Amino acid sequence: MQETGGTGLTPSEWLPRLKTQAFGRVYHYLPEVLSTNALARELAQRGSPEGTLVVAESQTGGRGRLGRSWVSPPGGIWLSLLLRPSQDPARAPLQTLLAAVALREALAAAEGLEAAIKWPNDLLIRGKKVAGILAEMGTGDGGLNYLVAGVGINANFPANRLPEPLRGKAGTLQDLLGRPLERPRLLAAFLKTWEDCYHQAAREGYEDILKRWRRSSLTLGKRVSLDTGEGQVTGRALDIDERGGLVLETGRGRTRTFLAGEVTLLEG
Ligand code: BT5
């Protein structure tokens, strides 16, 4: 079913906008799917090329990190991009930061919306989470076979479509703009920025991407509590290191670096 007003993501509505070399050039669009990440992983295992993009109008089993679920009603942008970077699996977390930078910059350029990034994978506007990223790896023979970067963007639905416990902490772009946005325009801008960042990192390393990440970070400089999965660690977030790890000052002159975890900000 085609939507009116230029908000639909079917191939004929969206692909004419695309300005990338590879990202999105193989495109799978589904009205409904369990999880775009699960489907993209299947496609990866069947040899689909780098840049393959899966987009669904809604997900019935959208995934977050650590087995959490991601609520995905119609109107969002629920996507997974297949990447085959030639890099050490240990550096894969950097791809999450890179996607966050690209989405932040595309949102600012395409919609004038300024989002902040909460380490490692959340985009927040006015304190509410509007997008999240889940990167999943496929490894073999000690190397990285593929990486599926899943991005959920709360685009064209009101936050009151989300279940009660999320309403206070989740926001949607439609609510922020006061109107539905042109999803094809945002998606095309995001993929172009993402591909440019991806090539830049492959060519020059991640230094500049990390600089841009730091500039928009909501986390750095603040006192935070980090749930590591094995307990809570409290400290001041000092920096992110060259692997994308969060450096916390946990005591006077003492620092520890974490590659994963859930951050709670203890100050505004
Ligand atoms: C994330 O996890 O933020 C990663 C979300 C990735 C979703 C995309 S959608 C396309 C692709 N296919 C998938 O199956 N997944 C990816 P995490 O940091 O673990 O955050 C999950 C938490 O965010 C949940 O426990 C809820 O508290 C909250 N949440 C769930 N749905 C939300 C929504 N639509 N908006 C804002 N917050 C949400």
Side-chain angles (χ1 to χ4, degrees):
M1 189 180 57
Q2 300 236 332
E3 285 178 53
T4 52
T7 63
L9 293 174
T10 58
S12 62
E13 288 168 288
W14 175 64
L15 284 173
R17 309 258 191 152
L18 192 60
K19 296 206 170 67
T20 57
Q21 291 167 21
F23 283 21
R25 292 287 164 194
V26 177
Y27 183 51
H28 298 264
Y29 171 78
L30 301 106
E32 184 178 283
V33 73
L34 185 69
S35 155
T36 56
N37 263 35
L39 179 56
R41 293 186 72 153
E42 275 176 46
L43 293 168
Q45 281 151 15
R46 284 195 252 134
S48 206
E50 174 158 277
T52 297
L53 179 69
V54 179
V55 170
E57 199 56 47
S58 65
Q59 299 184 114
T60 52
R63 307 202 286 244
R65 294 176 304 148
L66 310 163
R68 290 189 286 240
S69 63
W70 183 259
V71 185
S72 318
I77 303 177
W78 320 123
L79 71 84
S80 297
L81 183 72
L82 170 58
L83 299 171
R84 297 186 182 278
S86 45
Q87 69 182 34
D88 183 342
R91 294 174 70 83
L94 289 165
Q95 292 291 344
T96 299
L97 304 191
L98 185 148
V101 166
L103 180 54
R104 199 207 94 78
E105 293 180 1
L107 270 172
E111 298 297 335
L113 290 170
E114 295 291 336
I117 308 175
K118 186 170 111 163
W119 185 87
N121 68 324
D122 291 349
L123 259 76
L124 283 82
I125 300 180
R126 295 194 207 136
K128 293 192 173 173
K129 179 163 169 174
V130 296
I133 299 166
L134 170 70
E136 297 182 300
M137 283 190 279
T139 52
D141 300 329
L144 186 64
N145 275 342
Y146 66 84
L147 190 140
V148 165
V151 184
I153 308 170
N154 293 341
N156 284 347
F157 59 89
N160 66 16
R161 189 80 52 82
L162 296 170
E164 185 58 63
L166 284 182
R167 284 185 203 165
K169 21 181 219 174
T172 77
L173 303 181
Q174 175 177 304
D175 285 348
L176 285 158
L177 292 167
R179 56 165 171 84
L181 66 102
E182 280 182 53
R183 291 187 301 167
R185 188 172 65 164
L186 176 62
L187 183 55
F190 176 31
L191 287 178
K192 176 74 176 107
T193 312
W194 195 353
E195 189 178 76
D196 289 348
C197 290
Y198 183 72
H199 287 157
Q200 185 191 357
R203 243 182 4 248
E204 307 165 4
Y206 283 86
E207 209 171 301
D208 182 60
I209 303 292
L210 293 179
K211 211 183 278 171
R212 284 145 75 183
W213 189 95
R214 288 186 187 99
R215 270 207 302 268
S216 43
S217 164
L218 198 67
T219 313
L220 299 184
K222 308 244 170 76
R223 274 188 70 71
V224 303
S225 169
L226 183 76
D227 184 348
T228 65
E230 284 153 14
Q232 295 284 338
V233 182
T234 303
R236 185 167 300 281
L238 291 185
D239 200 3
I240 41 167
D241 74 359
E242 71 291 346
R243 293 165 305 166
L246 182 66
V247 185
L248 287 189
E249 183 182 43
T250 52
R252 195 183 305 178
R254 223 167 352 116
T255 62
R256 286 175 69 186
T257 302
F258 299 88
L259 285 173
E262 180 72 22
V263 165
T264 306
L265 301 176
L266 299 177
E267 57 184 303

